[in-house]
Amino acid sequence: AQTVTQSQPEMSVQEAETVTLSCTYDTSESDYYLFWYKQPPSRQMILVIRQEAYKQQNATENRFSVNFQKAAKSFSLKISDSQLGDAAMYFCAYTPHAGGTSYGKLTFGQGTILTVHP
Amino acid sequence: DAMVIQNPRYQVTQFGKPVTLSCSQTLNHNVMYWYQQKSSQAPKLLFHYYDKDFNNEADTPDNFQSRRPNTSFCFLDIRSPGLGDAAMYLCATSRDLGGYSTDTQYFGPGTRLTVL
């Protein structure tokens, strides 16, 4: 069974600094997708960044970038120039390109609460 | 803007009184999902629709049902809510990628259900 682990229940960062959130996963599939979602308190879950496993290049979206290490099954999120609006629960998630009973299944990690200090 | 809409945003019901939550989407995605999310936890998938095909998770209680009358709308029915069903219910949609997987899931704002 696929599992996603976020080992940091809480992280904090100073405004304008950089922070890295960790995520590891376990799968026997070779083709899959990885995501980071952000969920601010009482607000909508939104996609931060997406990585396709067959692409070696790390995904980036403005201040957000990932370090995807396929062999190590590691998928960390780096937030540069942190802003107050980055404060949220961040979920790492995985879905296989596999069909069958795995179709559409998004496996989430436990989440990391990020606090941004002014 | 294309989006996922959930109504109502807050729902209060009484123990055992049936309740229906609504989700609509303008993304024209063929896959729709319902998740249950309890405080400070990850969302838990209840079921999903691939077009009109319903797919229930093995551990979803029978108390939870769903309907999808057309591509745009999907409903979550809780037949006899218990105190343990108080949670945030999230609807999500995604685009099928050739039957083997789906593209990114886009989430609605959620409906927070309180059971008295």
Side-chain angles (χ1 to χ4, degrees):
Chain A
Q2 296 102 357
T3 58
V4 177
T5 302
Q6 294 176 247
S7 59
Q8 307 154 316
E10 298 182 23
M11 290 284 284
S12 64
V13 64
Q14 291 292 129
E15 198 174 5
E17 298 293 309
T18 295
V19 64
T20 299
L21 308 184
S22 300
C23 173
T24 58
Y25 59 94
D26 187 24
T27 182
S28 57
E29 302 289 343
S30 60
D31 196 8
Y32 48 87
Y33 304 90
L34 294 164
F35 308 88
W36 279 98
Y37 282 93
K38 167 186 176 182
Q39 189 176 37
S42 301
R43 294 186 63 186
Q44 191 163 349
M45 186 172 302
I46 60 172
L47 177 70
V48 175
I49 203 162
R50 174 181 185 266
Q51 175 79 43
E52 296 163 24
Y54 64 86
K55 290 186 177 179
Q56 291 186 332
Q57 187 172 6
N58 289 325
T60 62
E61 286 288 341
N62 300 314
R63 298 183 294 107
F64 298 88
S65 61
V66 297
N67 183 3
F68 173 49
Q69 302 288 329
K70 191 173 184 179
K73 295 180 181 174
S74 170
F75 183 61
S76 61
L77 175 69
K78 185 171 83 171
I79 306 173
S80 303
D81 186 25
S82 297
Q83 300 175 1
L84 295 178
D86 295 333
M89 174 82 92
Y90 285 81
F91 289 102
C92 177
Y94 158 98
T95 192
H97 184 72
T101 56
S102 297
Y103 180 88
K105 291 276 183 74
L106 194 59
T107 301
F108 289 91
Q110 305 92 320
T112 297
I113 298 172
L114 178 66
T115 303
V116 182
H117 297 290
Chain B
D1 288 338
M3 55 198 309
V4 182
I5 301 160
Q6 290 189 245
N7 286 304
R9 296 291 308 278
Y10 300 90
Q11 176 73 58
V12 179
T13 190
Q14 291 182 332
F15 183 93
K17 185 174 181 181
V19 66
T20 295
L21 310 182
S22 168
C23 176
S24 64
Q25 55 133 336
T26 61
L27 296 160
N28 203 33
H29 286 166
N30 56 343
V31 190
M32 293 186 76
Y33 310 79
W34 279 104
Y35 290 88
Q36 180 191 64
Q37 186 180 27
K38 297 194 173 179
S39 182
S40 301
Q41 296 182 19
K44 178 181 181 297
L45 181 64
L46 296 174
F47 24 61
H48 77 271
Y49 275 94
Y50 180 107
D51 291 328
K52 283 192 174 288
D53 291 338
F54 177 70
N55 297 272
N56 199 29
E57 291 300 298
D59 57 355
T60 298
D62 292 340
N63 198 27
F64 292 88
Q65 304 286 319
S66 186
R67 295 170 284 135
R68 188 180 187 187
N70 54 53
T71 299
S72 300
F73 284 87
C74 196
F75 300 97
L76 170 63
D77 300 309
I78 308 176
R79 294 192 296 186
S80 181
L83 297 178
D85 297 328
M88 177 75 85
Y89 289 88
L90 302 176
C91 174
T93 75
S94 67
R95 180 175 61 97
D96 173 62
L97 294 177
Y100 285 93
S101 65
T102 68
D103 206 341
T104 302
Q105 292 189 24
Y106 293 92
F107 287 81
T111 294
R112 183 167 297 284
L113 177 69
T114 300
V115 181
L116 301 177

